[in-house]
């Protein structure tokens, strides 16, 4: 039977997800405390999806390798995040990435052991930056885990 696992490093995010799971009564849905930046995944998945997370991760190539390791052979990664921007999305003091150039992300994905990489622009985030309404394009990268051997 199919299942859905929400994984996060943040205890607060996990508590919020657990409360939603309990309210919904959804069967086969769980939450998992997992820090792929320091620990390999304890199991493998058919799909890993991440939304607006990569620009907060210091070592993006490293986390992409960890995502590959968390996937079954033939598994799919769906990663949505900001296209490269001028720093106004988070504003002064933000220490993460200012979005990404797609060709750079594609290279990281290839280097991590993904293939059949494709990009689209599924939506734009609308928010004010310095009092001015702005639109920030978000890419969706879809890639398949290459190879059938052990995770990379």
């Amino acid at each position: 039977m199919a299942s859905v696992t929400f994984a996060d490093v943040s205890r607060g995010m996990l508590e919020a997800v657990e409360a939603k799971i309990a309210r919904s009564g959804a069967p086969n849905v769980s939450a998992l405390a997992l820090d792929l930046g320091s620990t390999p995944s304890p199991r493998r998945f058919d799909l890993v999806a991440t939304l607006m997370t990569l620009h907060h991760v210091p070592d993006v190539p490293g986390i992409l390798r960890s995502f590959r390791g968390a996937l079954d052979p033939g598994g799919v990664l769906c990663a949505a995040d900001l296209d490269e921007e001028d720093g106004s999305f988070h504003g002064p003091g933000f220490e993460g990435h200012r979005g990404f150039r797609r060709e750079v992300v594609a290279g990281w994905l290839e280097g991590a052991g993904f293939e059949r990489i494709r990009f689209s622009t599924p939506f734009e985030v609308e928010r004010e930056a310095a009092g001015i309404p702005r639109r920030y394009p978000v890419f969706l990268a879809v890639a398949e885990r290459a190879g059938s051997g052990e995770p990379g």
Side-chain angles (χ1 to χ4, degrees):
M1 179 177 282
S3 64
V4 174
T5 303
F6 290 90
D8 204 298
V9 66
S10 163
R11 187 68 230 155
M13 291 299 289
L14 289 169
E15 288 171 358
V17 166
E18 289 166 345
K20 290 179 181 184
I21 292 169
R23 282 194 306 273
S24 75
N28 302 319
V29 179
S30 61
L32 174 66
L34 183 59
D35 180 358
L36 287 176
S38 63
T39 307
S41 178
R43 55 185 272 226
R44 289 202 182 159
F45 301 90
D46 297 320
L47 171 71
V48 170
T50 179
L51 175 61
M52 299 295 283
T53 305
L54 296 178
H55 69 274
H56 293 276
V57 175
D59 180 12
V60 177
I63 201 70
L64 294 175
R65 288 189 301 274
S66 294
F67 289 157
R68 183 194 181 274
L71 285 166
D72 279 323
V76 175
L77 170 67
C78 296
D81 216 301
L82 292 168
D83 276 318
E84 189 172 49
E85 51 94 17
D86 62 5
S88 62
F89 185 82
H90 282 290
F94 178 66
E95 295 182 9
H97 302 277
R98 294 179 173 183
F100 303 96
R101 290 190 353 255
R102 295 178 188 201
E103 61 271 16
V104 171
V105 175
W108 289 338
L109 286 165
E110 289 174 8
F114 287 95
E115 60 190 11
R116 289 186 276 288
I117 301 162
R118 51 229 182 256
F119 287 85
S120 63
T121 306
F123 63 95
E124 294 180 338
V125 176
E126 296 181 27
R127 66 171 11 165
E128 282 194 13
I132 301 168
R134 296 274 311 260
R135 297 172 71 93
Y136 298 90
V138 173
F139 66 81
L140 173 61
V142 178
E144 296 175 30
R145 182 185 188 269
S148 58
E150 286 304 306

